């Protein structure tokens, strides 16, 4: 009787060549959009504030697509939970945005005055004001980066979530919790790096290092999520 060979322990994917084409396309879009802050630093004179605020704005893109997924997953239950998500996640992004603005701008924006929306929507109103302030101070080219984030995440939504069938393996509650996990992992590193760079006077080398860190972490999180959402047979094979 022949001896059975042990199954080799492999990471997923074993090489970039093994990534399915749709996932490779979404991964390429993710890397390309991460080059925009690089262009901002090298050609548009962006400082650490412009870069970190752009990274914060990605939370808005993720939140918008999360609400879309929730409504597609369950039109009735998703409508109620997406409204709750908008208030809760919107407040989270608003406070996070205020923290980023306080860290990167010489003066704290006065966004707490003239709050006149119903109390239940206070965090949504705060988020709208933070977004308005960000748009008022952002360089013109910053909008290129923001639109590119929408395109990149839209490509991933279509290729992975819809065409790749990830919608079959995620509940509304799973969708609602996913953005928070990403923020905690990614933005602790980004904000810590931004503090360090500002303390040292925003040297070019450290700004480039921050962009590299963000890109590497984005790729890692993207591949980890694709593996987690892969069918059991594919995940076991990889």
């Amino acid at each position: 009787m022949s001896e059975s060979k042990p199954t080799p322990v492999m990471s997923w994917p074993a090489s970039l060549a093994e990534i399915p084409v749709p996932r490779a396309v979404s991964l390429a879009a993710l890397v390309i959009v991460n080059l925009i802050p690089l262009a901002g630093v090298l050609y548009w004179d962006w400082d650490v504030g412009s870069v970190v605020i752009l990274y914060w704005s990605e939370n808005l893109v993720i939140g918008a697509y999360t609400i879309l997924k929730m409504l597609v997953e369950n039109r009735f239950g998703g409508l109620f939970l997406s409204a709750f998500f908008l208030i809760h996640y919107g407040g989270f992004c608003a406070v996070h945005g205020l923290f980023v603005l306080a860290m990167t701008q010489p003066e704290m924006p006065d966004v707490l005055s003239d709050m006149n929306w119903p109390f239940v929507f206070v965090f949504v109103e705060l988020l709208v004001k933070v977004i308005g302030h960000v748009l008022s101070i952002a360089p013109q080219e910053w909008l290129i980066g923001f639109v590119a984030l929408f395109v990149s995440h839209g490509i991933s939504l279509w290729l992975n979530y819809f065409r790749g069938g990830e919608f079959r393996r995620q509940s509304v509650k799973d969708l609602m919790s996913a953005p928070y996990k990403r923020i905690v992992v990614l933005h602790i590193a980004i904000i810590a790096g931004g503090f360090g760079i500002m303390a040292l006077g925003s040297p070019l080398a450290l700004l480039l290092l921050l962009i590299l860190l963000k890109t590497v972490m984005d790729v890692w999180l993207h591949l980890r999520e694709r593996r987690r959402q892969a069918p059991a047979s594919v995940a076991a094979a990889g």
Side-chain angles (χ1 to χ4, degrees):
M1 187 171 68
S2 61
E3 250 183 54
S4 61
K5 295 182 180 179
T7 303
V9 178
M10 299 173 65
S11 60
W12 189 93
S15 70
L16 291 177
E18 294 183 14
I19 302 176
V21 171
R23 292 178 185 172
V25 171
S26 65
L27 181 61
L30 182 150
V31 172
I32 290 170
V33 80
N34 271 284
L35 296 178
I36 293 177
L38 180 64
V41 169
L42 294 178
Y43 301 109
W44 299 325
D45 296 323
W46 285 12
D47 58 8
V48 65
S50 301
V51 173
V52 173
I53 289 173
L54 179 64
Y55 290 158
W56 166 81
S57 73
E58 190 171 8
N59 298 329
L60 307 179
V61 177
I62 292 169
Y65 281 127
T66 297
I67 289 175
L68 176 61
K69 290 178 184 178
M70 292 167 69
L71 293 174
V72 169
E73 177 67 24
N74 187 322
R75 292 182 183 177
F76 298 105
L79 185 63
F80 171 77
L81 287 177
S82 61
F84 175 79
F85 175 80
L86 175 61
I87 295 170
H88 190 275
Y89 183 75
F92 188 90
C93 287
V95 174
H96 186 192
L98 281 174
F99 181 79
V100 169
L101 288 172
M103 180 185 82
T104 59
Q105 302 303 310
E107 291 185 9
M108 184 70 178
D110 181 18
V111 296
L112 298 176
S113 59
D114 299 325
M115 300 285 287
N116 48 29
W117 290 21
F119 180 75
V120 69
F121 297 116
V122 64
F123 285 125
V124 180
E125 181 181 10
L126 181 61
L127 179 61
V128 169
K129 290 194 171 189
V130 170
I131 293 172
H133 184 77
V134 166
L135 291 174
S136 71
I137 64 173
Q140 186 175 0
E141 300 84 4
W142 187 90
L143 292 175
I144 298 173
F146 185 68
V147 171
L149 287 171
F150 257 105
V151 173
S152 172
H153 282 275
I155 290 171
S156 181
L157 176 76
W158 171 249
L159 292 178
N160 298 310
Y161 187 75
F162 290 118
R163 186 177 173 183
E166 290 182 359
F167 68 92
R168 299 188 185 97
R169 297 179 288 277
Q170 289 183 289
S171 67
V172 172
K173 290 183 179 179
D174 292 333
L175 293 171
M176 190 163 56
S177 63
Y180 297 97
K181 298 174 184 176
R182 184 184 185 280
I183 290 174
V184 170
V185 172
L186 184 60
H187 283 273
I188 287 177
I190 296 302
I191 289 175
F195 267 126
I197 291 171
M198 290 185 66
L200 295 172
S202 298
L204 177 61
L206 288 182
L207 274 172
L208 298 180
L209 184 61
L210 178 66
I211 294 169
L212 177 63
L213 171 67
K214 165 66 161 54
T215 305
V216 169
M217 292 189 70
D218 260 350
V219 170
W220 174 67
L221 288 168
H222 181 84
L223 292 177
R224 187 184 71 166
E225 182 63 15
R226 302 288 75 76
R227 180 184 181 184
R228 194 175 72 84
Q229 296 301 332
S233 58
V234 175

